[in-house]
Amino acid sequence: MRKVIFFIPLVVFIALGIVFYLQLGKNPEYMPSALVGKPVPAIHLVSLDTDQVVTNVELPKGPYLINFWGTWCPTCAIEHPYLMRLAKKGVPIIGIDYKDGKASAEQWLRNKGNPYKMVLLDELGNFGVNMGVTGAPETFVVNSKGIIVYRHQGALDEAVWKSIQGYMQ
Amino acid sequence: MIDAAIFRRLIKLVVWLVLSCAVYGQAEELMTFSSPVNQTRYDALVKELRCPKCQNQDIADSGAGIAKDLRHKIHDMIENGQSDKEIVDYMVARYGDFVLYRPKHNAATFALWYGPFILLGIGLVIFAVVIIRNRLRRKGESV
């Protein structure tokens, strides 16, 4: 019985080793969004297409994506062709032109095609702050109840889509 | 001799470059506050909040775009008369507990805050038990 006590440090060491080992390879940059499980914050943004103010009422009813992008953002250019593919599949995407100008956004969409159901201008990045965005591209999945269920930081691609597809309901 | 002169000039140049960078960095974002208290509150808040984009920098230190936006946001909120708590809650609601350099006291952070003290307590208890036992045993031997 007394001997067992001497093994406690070893046991603790092994337990810690296992805990730390399981953390290896995880992306330390990954930050869970504070908005997951919450409804989309109040939207009051001008639409690129109509120049009209858009509020939450006009958002799609079914599940959809909110994609933050900007013409200044190189990763967004990489992501764009994949968004076009998603749009072709019929995935509704709301584009938020984040900290960008109207003219450059229009040119970008003319040159590369427009995968967005609706493009809203967030020139000052205020809506970005309300969504807890830290940069672009960033994509949120909103379910049919209007609740944010997933957030992805960085470009969307086939692999990412596979993991978030399940949230589109 | 010539080398030394060149060396001294080089040092002067480096010092000058470093200093001019520092001046530039500060001049980039001059914020005016309606009162010195607000300035102090701002200075404290930007050091208390972590930049959500960059793991190990506070909002004050970071050059990331989002940190700059948040600095302006904090400035505006202070000038609009919002309390420190309101501002911190605002940030936490958007960026999560991650932005707090001082983690909240709750179930998830219990071990973080109190774990070391609990371990210290256990250690002290074991230490005391060992000492008392040894003393008792020695007494037993001497009798």
Side-chain angles (χ1 to χ4, degrees), chain A residues 15 25 34 42 47 54 76 88 93 121 123-124 130 138 145 151 155:
Chain A
S47 158
V54 170
C76 302
K88 252 193 213 126
I93 310 171
L121 299 168
E123 283 173 83
L124 297 176
N130 285 341
E138 241 178 72
K145 288 182 189 123
R151 182 265 291 269

Side-chain angles (χ1 to χ4, degrees), chain A residues 28 31 99 129-130 132-134, chain B residues 53 55 66 69 94-95 98:
Chain A
M31 203 177 85
K99 303 188 74 173
V129 170
N130 285 341
V133 163
T134 64
Chain B
K53 182 85 182 171
Q55 302 270 307
I66 187 69
D69 287 359
R94 283 154 183 79
Y95 295 98
F98 179 91

Side-chain angles (χ1 to χ4, degrees), chain A residues 38-104:
Chain A
K38 300 207 173 114
V40 177
I43 289 183
H44 194 83
L45 297 168
V46 173
S47 158
L48 183 74
D49 327 279
T50 62
D51 272 335
Q52 302 288 311
V53 171
V54 170
T55 57
N56 299 52
V57 187
E58 280 130 283
L59 293 174
K61 296 286 168 279
Y64 62 96
L65 300 179
I66 297 180
N67 176 252
F68 283 81
W69 63 283
T71 58
W72 47 268
C73 146
T75 315
C76 302
I78 297 170
E79 180 188 54
H80 196 87
Y82 193 73
L83 294 180
M84 293 299 287
R85 277 178 57 192
L86 283 182
K88 252 193 213 126
K89 273 195 222 168
V91 177
I93 310 171
I94 304 293
I96 309 287
D97 185 30
Y98 178 61
K99 303 188 74 173
D100 204 2
K102 190 179 175 187
S104 43

Side-chain angles (χ1 to χ4, degrees), chain A residues 6-40:
Chain A
F6 294 111
F7 284 100
I8 288 177
L10 183 68
V11 171
V12 171
F13 172 77
I14 290 173
L16 281 178
I18 290 170
V19 169
F20 292 145
Y21 183 78
L22 291 177
Q23 295 296 319
L24 280 181
K26 278 195 184 167
N27 177 11
E29 305 267 311
Y30 174 75
M31 203 177 85
S33 169
L35 272 91
V36 165
K38 300 207 173 114
V40 177

Side-chain angles (χ1 to χ4, degrees), chain B residues 22-31 63 68 71-72:
Chain B
V23 169
Y24 173 75
Q26 289 204 323
E28 199 183 21
E29 237 177 31
L30 249 180
M31 294 199 184
K68 198 173 153 209
R71 283 198 292 270
H72 281 285

Side-chain angles (χ1 to χ4, degrees), chain B residues 60-104:
Chain B
D61 252 350
S62 172
I66 187 69
K68 198 173 153 209
D69 287 359
L70 295 182
R71 283 198 292 270
H72 281 285
K73 187 81 209 173
I74 292 171
H75 168 265
D76 294 349
M77 290 177 85
I78 287 177
E79 288 294 299
N80 284 336
Q82 279 169 284
S83 72
D84 285 6
K85 190 181 177 303
E86 280 172 321
I87 296 171
V88 168
D89 287 348
Y90 176 93
M91 294 297 167
V92 170
R94 283 154 183 79
Y95 295 98
D97 288 339
F98 179 91
V99 295
L100 300 175
Y101 260 129
R102 232 181 308 179
K104 282 181 181 164

